[in-house]
Amino acid sequence: MFDSHVHIIDPRYPLVENQGYLPEPYTIADYRKRMAHFDVDGGAVVSASFQGTDSTFMVAALAELGPNWVGVINLPPDVTDEQIVELDRAGVRAIRFNLKRAAVDIVTLTMQAVRAYELAGWHAELYIDGSMLGSLEPVISKLPALSIDHMGMSDECLPYLLNLVDRGARVKASGFGRVSMDVESAMRRVHAVNPGALMFGSDLPGNRAGRPFRDADIEIIGRAVGADMYRVLEDNARACYRLPVKVRSAEDPVPTLPIPRAEPPTLRLRRSELPQPPNRNQPPDRTRPLRIIE
């Protein structure tokens, strides 16, 4: 499994209050504990609004997580070409624009996205409310490479989202607790337009979401895409972030939710039901066994 949307909140690095909100810490150890029963062997750490344009936490997180992990980062307007190249060496693979939580100048967005793509091959990731997607779709559809967070957030954006998918945009199957839409139906429609578009993301720890990621969210994805589970849970994201895609044999089963291991149940007996030792005061049992009839 490749988790394309994870927020790591390391208290050792600076946080910026966003709309009056500061999150609790959520470390790499916390994430690994939560996802321990899934076979997660890579993912994308995504800069959140309350991390501003700080890149120190990202570089540290990617160094600890290893080469199968990449970064998605907020950049300051005055970032230099050299800084982008250096972040690419550290494992960053995309630039993020949070239009949901902060005002973003569309000209700056376009120029930064194009520059990051030309310098390092990064795509742009947009956290955008569905009500905005329609008005901005003519502009963002011209970006060289694009991904939309959390399915675009609402049903009203779906026609515009499908148009972007038809033009090559990726869509994160993430944040199911944030959206106001029929997630399963939306995923089915996105997948029908382009089976390479959907990318699973847990969105952990799920700050400010209606609910965080649940294991059952994987079942929703399975119902939407069927036998293409491998693509959505791993392969599509690996291709998007320019990582090697795993080669599988035809015998590999479609991934399913792990089944928790449990000890076989033991029947509880009352003391009165336990076998009793023989009573020496009673005469021996002289009951003859029945003959076996062939």
Side-chain angles (χ1 to χ4, degrees), residues 141-171:
S141 64
K142 295 179 173 61
L143 296 179
L146 176 67
S147 172
I148 303 294
D149 288 352
H150 312 320
M151 302 292 299
M153 301 294 291
S154 66
D155 279 323
E156 65 181 301
C157 80
L158 198 53
Y160 308 106
L161 183 69
L162 295 175
N163 185 43
L164 291 170
V165 170
D166 191 46
R167 299 184 184 196
R170 312 272 184 161
V171 178

Side-chain angles (χ1 to χ4, degrees), residues 194-232:
N194 180 5
L198 286 173
M199 306 184 295
F200 161 73
S202 69
D203 188 38
L204 285 170
N207 292 306
R208 292 189 279 192
R211 66 162 178 85
F213 167 73
R214 297 172 181 164
D215 291 358
D217 291 344
I218 303 297
E219 296 178 355
I220 300 174
I221 295 173
R223 291 196 301 268
V225 304
D228 281 340
M229 280 282 279
Y230 271 131
R231 300 188 71 167
V232 178

Side-chain angles (χ1 to χ4, degrees), residues 205-267:
N207 292 306
R208 292 189 279 192
R211 66 162 178 85
F213 167 73
R214 297 172 181 164
D215 291 358
D217 291 344
I218 303 297
E219 296 178 355
I220 300 174
I221 295 173
R223 291 196 301 268
V225 304
D228 281 340
M229 280 282 279
Y230 271 131
R231 300 188 71 167
V232 178
L233 292 184
E234 186 159 17
D235 295 347
N236 290 347
R238 283 185 169 276
C240 178
Y241 291 109
R242 295 176 286 127
L243 294 171
V245 176
K246 290 184 177 179
V247 178
R248 298 185 181 87
S249 67
E251 291 77 22
D252 284 345
V254 175
T256 58
L257 276 174
I259 300 175
R261 293 184 178 180
E263 296 297 325
T266 301
L267 293 176

Side-chain angles (χ1 to χ4, degrees), residues 75 79-86 88 111-122 242:
L75 289 179
V79 65
T80 66
D81 292 355
E82 292 75 19
Q83 287 172 321
I84 292 175
V85 172
E86 190 63 30
D88 185 71
M111 292 177 63
Q112 276 199 324
V114 170
R115 184 156 70 108
Y117 179 81
E118 291 177 346
L119 282 171
W122 295 0
R242 295 176 286 127

Side-chain angles (χ1 to χ4, degrees), residues 26-64:
Y26 191 78
T27 64
I28 291 173
D30 294 327
Y31 174 78
R32 285 173 170 164
K33 181 179 179 180
R34 170 62 183 85
M35 298 295 281
H37 58 294
F38 289 101
D39 184 20
V40 178
D41 61 358
V45 178
V46 179
S47 287
S49 56
F50 40 75
Q51 287 162 322
T53 57
D54 172 59
S55 62
T56 55
F57 93 93
M58 178 69 73
V59 173
L62 295 180
E64 182 176 345

Side-chain angles (χ1 to χ4, degrees), residues 71-137:
V72 181
I73 199 162
N74 307 318
L75 289 179
D78 59 351
V79 65
T80 66
D81 292 355
E82 292 75 19
Q83 287 172 321
I84 292 175
V85 172
E86 190 63 30
L87 287 169
D88 185 71
R89 291 196 190 103
V92 175
R93 291 294 180 270
I95 180 173
R96 191 183 199 217
F97 298 98
N98 189 333
L99 286 77
K100 171 76 172 175
R101 304 286 184 194
V104 177
D105 178 71
I106 195 65
V107 175
T108 301
L109 182 156
T110 304
M111 292 177 63
Q112 276 199 324
V114 170
R115 184 156 70 108
Y117 179 81
E118 291 177 346
L119 282 171
W122 295 0
H123 65 275
E125 299 199 358
L126 302 187
Y127 181 18
I128 184 170
D129 192 87
S131 60
M132 300 175 62
L133 194 58
S135 60
L136 294 179
E137 188 261 347

